[in-house]
Every structure is written in C-alpha cells, then in structure tokens.
C-alpha cells in the first residue's frame, strides 16, 4: 500500500484456511505522480471556460441581432424591434443553458458543444414563433431568418476558438481532469491507454485502484464498506476530479450506487466504462427498464432511408464538386497526355458494397508497364504488408508525383460517385486480392459503399498499418452519419493540402 493511504485492518496476514476480503488498493508500481500545483485546478479552468463561453455567446447574439436589424430595416428601425433586439441575446443565453451548453462535462469536447448550440438555435426559433403567435404580434420573418442563423454561426465560431485553445493547453498538460481508474488489472490498463491516447479530451490518470485478495462468497453489501473506504481514501489522497470505473463485477449495482453517493458529497464525478469499443455516441442510449439503467446499442444503418439520404447527398454534392474542379481535371488530363505515353485514365477493378465489382477511375500516374515492373520492386515495399507502397517508386511519372501529392489523381472517382458505385466518404475501395485475405469480421466494411475519402484518408493515409486501416474502415461502417461525412470531408481538405501520408 502506498504511503499516505491507510492500510485496512483486514490486510493483515491471513490465518491458515482463512479467506481474505477483496479490497481496492493503489499499488506503488501503477501510481502516476502528477503534481496538482503544475496544472490549473478543475474549478479554475472550468470557471474561466464558462465565463469565456458566456461572453462569446452573448457577443454572438449581439452580432446576429445587429446584422438582422441593419440587414432587414436599414436605418429605419422602430422602437419595437430595438426591444426585441435587446431581449433576444438574453433568450439566447437561456436557450444555450437549457441545451446544456454550459455544463462542464462538455467543455472542450467539440461535437457535443456544437450540438448544444444547434439545439439552442432551434429552441430560440421556436420560442420566437410561439411568442409571436401567442401575443398576436407581427415579427418580420426576414429579421428572424437573419438573426438566429447569424447568432448560431457566430456562437459556433466562438466555441471552435475556445475548443482550439483548450486543446493546445491540454496537449501541454494543463486544464486536465485528474482521474482515478478503478477495476481489474486488464480493464484498468485498457482504459488507461484509451484515456492517454486522446489528451484533447482532458483526462489524465493519476492513480489506478486495483483489487487485492481472493473473492469469497458472501453478500456484496458485506464487503461494500471496505471497498468504498479504500476508493474514497485514494480519491482524497490524490485529489482526483473523476473516478473512472472499468467494467468489473466487483463494482456494480448497489455497490456502485453507494460509491456514487459518496463521490457526490466530495464533488467528484463518476464515469463507468461498459467495455464497448468502436461504437459512436449516437448509437448508444440508456433506457430504464424494471428499475435498472440498461445500455442500448442501436443497430448500424445498413439500408433504407439513411442510405437513400446518403445517396442523394453524394450525387448532389458530387455534381457540385465535379463542376468546381473541372478546370483542374482538364489541366491534369492535358499534362498526363503530353508528358508520358499511354492513356490519360487508369481503370482498375475494385470491390464495392456487397462484394459487387466495378471499374474505378484514376488519372494515370505511372508508366504504362507499371504492373509488369512491380515484381522487381517487391523487396522494397514500404507499405503495410498487404498494400504495395514506395515513397520513391521509380514507376511514377514526374507529373504523377504532383498528382498523387495533392490527391488530384483521385478526382476522376467523382464519376464513380455519380454512377452510384462509390460514395464521397466511405472505406477505402479494396482490390479483389485484398478481399480474399479478409477475416470474417473484416467483410463488414463492405456494408457501405467505398469512398473517395474516409477515416483512413484523414488518419495517416499510406502511413497506416493494415490493421489500423481495417479498424478505421470497420469503425466507419458501424457508425457512419451525414454529420460524420461532412466532418471527414472537411478534414480531408486539410490533409490533402498538407499532403500528409501521401506517396
């Protein structure tokens, strides 16, 4: 037992044949020393963030109202609309608060903060409409249609700036929530690793609490007091902000409930890991059944309305993108034709949704006999073991290097998108030889259409291992949404401009 953490009485040497109660201890070898003085306390940075969020939202509302008043009425603004313009910023702050926009658990999380702003905008629009109807007052629709969207856009911009600032601080080890992880050794290690992989989420593990002793058969409540006492002693010693319980039968039901009561008195949050991985938040919900809180996982959207909406989204945005990049396509085709012998387009058979094969189009970036020369270069493969990649592939033409660097060679796949063979966002389109190596679970990636871009494109591209690429594809297939597609498209633009992992 570490110094400063009182040793429970029942940790004395066990007599012969005596079974010892399981207790939760903080082993010396798993303790992490994170000085409290080296970081902002949670109360300090939360208060600062909340004040900044309030100021940003109020400023956003004032900007939105000002733009709406000037844009709708110009210099002829009557007194009634000046009153409305003064009330809307207050109403906006109330709507954001009701949408949980100022709850500390969402600070710096990004998506949930943005969702609260969108929910607040919808609520404010509804409130204005209901108030106008109830009071039989005529509020100009042009004013509302300018004020609310402008306020929402300005508020989201402000939250994005705050999110970036707190992310930078967290990467420097500041503005973190101190976490005590409780559970069995393997679950603790897994949860600890996941929390450390994303410092921007704001959690730093300062200690781990593990059970010691053999479990013996007696009512849970008989050993609850001792379990709770040891965890709370660790909470007090390490001054933690959050207790994270890994999935473990030792802490469940009534035991977990009593622990939550004790932590509530100390102002410490309790989070419980159900042990589920690679499942996005929108698919998870808690439903009360028979007095129990049951975790419900929604089935992935593999057909029906959502896929129809995705098909419409792909074609509409695909047409717009094709028109926008048509000058680039024409210039690239001309350069390929003038600088090397062979066809402008390279056509290759790929496997799409449900195992259907289709011809995928790309600008030719290699010499005509590239496939014949591949056997000579197998020993120099720098790919992930299954995909062949070389940073300085001698088969690539001079123009092809630039086309690949900025992913211009992929743009003809917009034609595949319009033909319905591919999506703008999805798993990487595989070759037949790759599909032949799939494990049973890997075939789930073909529940959705392959994409022009995807999680693999914004997470390292050619630098990923085969296992990492497959994990990202499966994650997308299980959790895709239009909102996720838009986020990936935005990140793709940044990745392409930075040419990360492209060769």
């Amino acid at each position: 037992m570490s110094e400063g953490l009182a040793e429970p009485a029942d940790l004395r040497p066990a007599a012969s044949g005596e079974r010892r109660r399981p207790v939760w201890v903080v082993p010396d070898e798993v303790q992490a020393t994170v000085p409290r003085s080296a970081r902002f306390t949670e109360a300090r940075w939360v208060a600062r963030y909340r004040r900044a969020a309030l100021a940003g939202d109020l400023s956003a509302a004032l900007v939105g109202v000002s733009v709406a008043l000037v844009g709708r009425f110009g210099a002829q603004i009557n007194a009634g609309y000046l009153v409305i313009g003064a009330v809307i910023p207050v109403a906006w702050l109330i709507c954001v608060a009701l949408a949980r926009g100022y709850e500390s658990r969402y600070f710096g999380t990004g998506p949930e903060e943005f969702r609260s702003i969108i929910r607040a905008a919808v609520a404010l629009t509804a409130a204005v409409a209901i108030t106008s109807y109830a009071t039989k007052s005529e509020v100009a629709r042009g004013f509302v249609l300018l004020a609310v969207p402008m306020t929402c856009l300005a508020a989201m911009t402000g939250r994005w700036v705050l999110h970036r600032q707190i992310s930078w601080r967290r990467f420097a080890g500041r503005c973190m929530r101190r976490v005590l992880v409780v559970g069995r050794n393997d679950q603790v290690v897994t949860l600890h690793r996941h929390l450390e992989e994303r410092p921007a989420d704001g959690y730093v593990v300062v200690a781990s609490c593990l059970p010691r002793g053999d479990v013996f058969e007696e009512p849970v409540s008989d050993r609850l007091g001792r379990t709770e006492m040891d965890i709370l002693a660790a909470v007090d010693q390490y001054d933690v902000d959050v207790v994270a319980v890994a999935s473990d039968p030792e802490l469940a039901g009534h035991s977990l409930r009593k622990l939550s009561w004790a932590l509530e008195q100390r102002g410490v949050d309790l989070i419980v890991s159900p042990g589920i991985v690679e499942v996005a938040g929108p698919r998870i919900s808690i439903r009360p059944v028979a007095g129990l809180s049951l975790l419900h996982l929604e089935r992935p959207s593999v057909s029906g309305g959502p896929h129809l909406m995705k098909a419409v989204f792909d074609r509409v945005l695909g047409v717009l993108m094709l028109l926008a990049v048509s000058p680039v396509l024409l210039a690239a085709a001309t350069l390929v034709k003038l600088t090397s012998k062979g066809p402008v387009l390279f056509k290759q058979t790929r496997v799409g949704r449900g195992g259907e094969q289709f011809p995928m189009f790309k600008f030719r970036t290699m010499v005509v006999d590239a496939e014949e020369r591949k056997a000579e270069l197998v020993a120099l493969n720098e790919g992930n073991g299954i995909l062949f990649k070389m940073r300085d592939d001698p088969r690539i033409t001079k123009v092809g290097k630039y086309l690949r660097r900025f992913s211009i060679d992929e743009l003809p796949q917009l034609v595949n998108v319009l033909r319905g063979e591919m999506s703008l966002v999805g798993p990487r389109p595989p070759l037949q030889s790759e599909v032949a190596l799939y494990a049973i679970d890997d075939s789930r990636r073909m529940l959705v259409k392959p994409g022009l871009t995807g999680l693999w494109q914004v997470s390292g591209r050619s630098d990923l291992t085969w296992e990492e690429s497959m994990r990202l594809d499966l994650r997308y297939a299980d959790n895709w949404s239009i909102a996720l597609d838009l986020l990936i498209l935005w990140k793709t633009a940044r990745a392409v401009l930075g040419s990360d992992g492209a060769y």
Side-chain angles (χ1 to χ4, degrees):
M1 180 71 69
S2 61
E3 182 180 354
L5 186 59
E7 179 126 0
D10 61 354
L11 287 185
R12 67 188 187 281
S16 176
E18 180 185 358
R19 285 180 296 185
R20 191 168 54 194
R21 296 184 177 187
V23 296
W24 297 92
V25 298
V26 183
D28 292 331
E29 63 271 14
V30 298
Q31 292 176 16
T33 56
V34 183
R36 187 70 173 188
S37 59
R39 294 175 168 82
F40 284 123
T41 63
E42 183 180 25
R44 286 178 60 195
W45 74 258
V46 164
R48 291 187 179 187
Y49 195 99
R50 184 175 285 113
R51 288 195 298 268
L54 282 166
D57 291 343
L58 180 60
S59 301
L62 293 174
V63 169
V65 168
S66 300
V67 170
L69 288 173
V70 174
R72 177 62 177 82
F73 304 107
Q76 300 178 345
I77 306 174
N78 61 43
Y81 278 101
L82 289 177
V83 173
I84 295 174
V87 170
I88 283 182
V90 178
W92 171 249
L93 294 182
I94 294 174
C95 288
V96 175
L98 292 176
R100 300 182 175 182
Y102 302 122
E103 291 192 10
S104 60
R105 57 177 169 166
Y106 297 136
F107 288 170
T109 58
E112 191 57 40
E113 278 192 286
F114 296 145
R115 291 190 192 101
S116 69
I117 297 297
I118 294 173
R119 289 194 296 266
V122 174
L124 181 60
T125 304
V128 172
I130 293 172
T131 303
S132 176
Y133 177 79
T135 59
K136 296 183 179 180
S137 58
E138 296 291 335
V139 179
R141 285 173 292 182
F143 171 76
V144 177
L145 293 177
L146 275 175
V148 176
M150 287 300 300
T151 298
C152 180
L153 181 61
M156 291 185 72
T157 302
R159 290 301 181 101
W160 179 81
V161 172
L162 283 177
H163 177 70
R164 296 294 297 176
Q165 289 178 344
I166 199 172
S167 293
W168 293 334
R169 287 184 171 89
R170 284 173 171 174
F171 277 112
R174 304 168 64 189
C175 300
M176 306 291 282
R177 289 186 171 94
R178 298 164 60 85
V179 181
L180 171 70
V181 181
V182 180
R184 294 285 174 180
N185 187 54
D186 51 346
Q187 287 93 349
V188 163
V189 171
T190 300
L191 183 56
H192 192 162
R193 185 180 71 251
H194 280 287
L195 292 176
E196 285 188 338
E197 285 176 351
R198 293 178 57 90
D201 288 342
Y203 294 100
V204 57
V205 178
V206 296
S208 300
C209 210
L210 307 177
R212 188 172 71 187
D214 298 327
V215 178
F216 71 114
E217 297 177 3
E218 65 175 36
V220 174
S221 57
D222 222 4
R223 64 173 186 267
L224 173 63
R226 189 66 66 185
T227 300
E228 179 187 342
M229 183 186 71
D230 291 320
I231 295 175
L232 295 179
V235 167
D236 295 335
Q237 177 181 350
Y238 293 97
D239 195 15
V240 303
D241 304 308
V242 179
V243 171
V245 177
S247 53
D248 194 300
E250 292 293 340
L251 270 178
H254 192 59
S255 302
L256 197 59
R257 186 187 186 196
K258 291 197 67 175
L259 177 61
S260 70
W261 291 343
L263 294 177
E264 179 185 354
Q265 295 174 355
R266 288 167 167 77
V268 176
D269 291 334
L270 174 66
I271 58 178
V272 180
S273 169
I276 301 172
V277 297
E278 304 294 356
V279 178
R283 288 184 55 207
I284 301 176
S285 60
I286 302 293
R287 300 183 183 178
V289 178
L292 301 174
S293 296
L294 302 184
L295 188 69
H296 185 83
L297 297 183
E298 301 289 348
R299 292 189 297 270
S301 299
V302 296
S303 61
H307 273 273
L308 177 60
M309 184 171 62
K310 182 177 175 68
V312 173
F313 171 80
D314 286 336
R315 284 176 168 81
V316 172
L317 189 56
V319 168
L320 296 177
M321 291 178 63
L322 193 59
L323 292 175
V325 302
S326 55
V328 178
L329 293 172
L330 181 60
T334 303
L335 289 173
V336 172
K337 186 65 176 177
L338 295 178
T339 56
S340 62
K341 296 180 180 180
V344 171
L345 293 178
F346 174 71
K347 187 170 66 173
Q348 190 176 46
T349 300
R350 298 292 180 113
V351 181
R353 184 184 177 195
E356 295 182 1
Q357 299 180 14
F358 67 95
M360 189 186 75
F361 303 108
K362 297 176 64 174
F363 280 125
R364 182 176 56 81
T365 59
M366 291 186 173
V367 294
V368 178
D369 60 343
E371 287 299 317
E372 289 75 11
R373 295 174 56 182
K374 180 179 177 180
E376 307 170 3
L377 305 171
V378 171
L380 303 176
N381 183 17
E382 299 176 23
N384 53 31
I386 294 179
L387 300 180
F388 182 86
K389 292 286 184 178
M390 287 183 63
R391 292 186 181 273
D392 296 310
D393 196 323
R395 301 171 300 165
I396 300 177
T397 63
K398 292 182 179 181
V399 171
K401 289 182 179 180
Y402 291 98
L403 296 181
R404 287 187 169 213
R405 179 180 178 183
F406 297 103
S407 297
I408 296 174
D409 62 319
E410 311 279 356
L411 292 180
Q413 291 168 31
L414 287 170
V415 176
N416 292 115
V417 173
L418 298 182
R419 290 170 53 167
E421 298 160 339
M422 292 180 61
S423 175
L424 288 176
V425 181
R428 191 186 62 80
L431 295 165
Q432 292 173 286
S433 58
E434 297 170 23
V435 175
L437 300 175
Y438 283 180
I440 295 177
D441 292 341
D442 297 342
S443 59
R444 285 188 59 83
R445 73 192 296 276
M446 290 188 290
L447 291 174
V448 294
K449 294 178 183 178
L452 179 65
T453 184
L455 286 175
W456 49 274
Q457 178 85 341
V458 299
S459 304
R461 301 166 81 180
S462 299
D463 295 330
L464 296 173
T465 65
W466 173 259
E467 291 76 15
E468 289 171 336
S469 298
M470 185 60 66
R471 178 175 56 84
L472 292 173
D473 285 344
L474 291 175
R475 179 192 299 175
Y476 178 83
D478 282 343
N479 302 297
W480 75 269
S481 65
I482 297 297
L484 179 60
D485 284 1
L486 289 172
L487 179 61
I488 291 174
L489 288 171
W490 166 250
K491 289 188 175 182
T492 297
R494 294 197 304 174
V496 168
L497 293 176
S499 63
D500 299 331
Y503 56 88

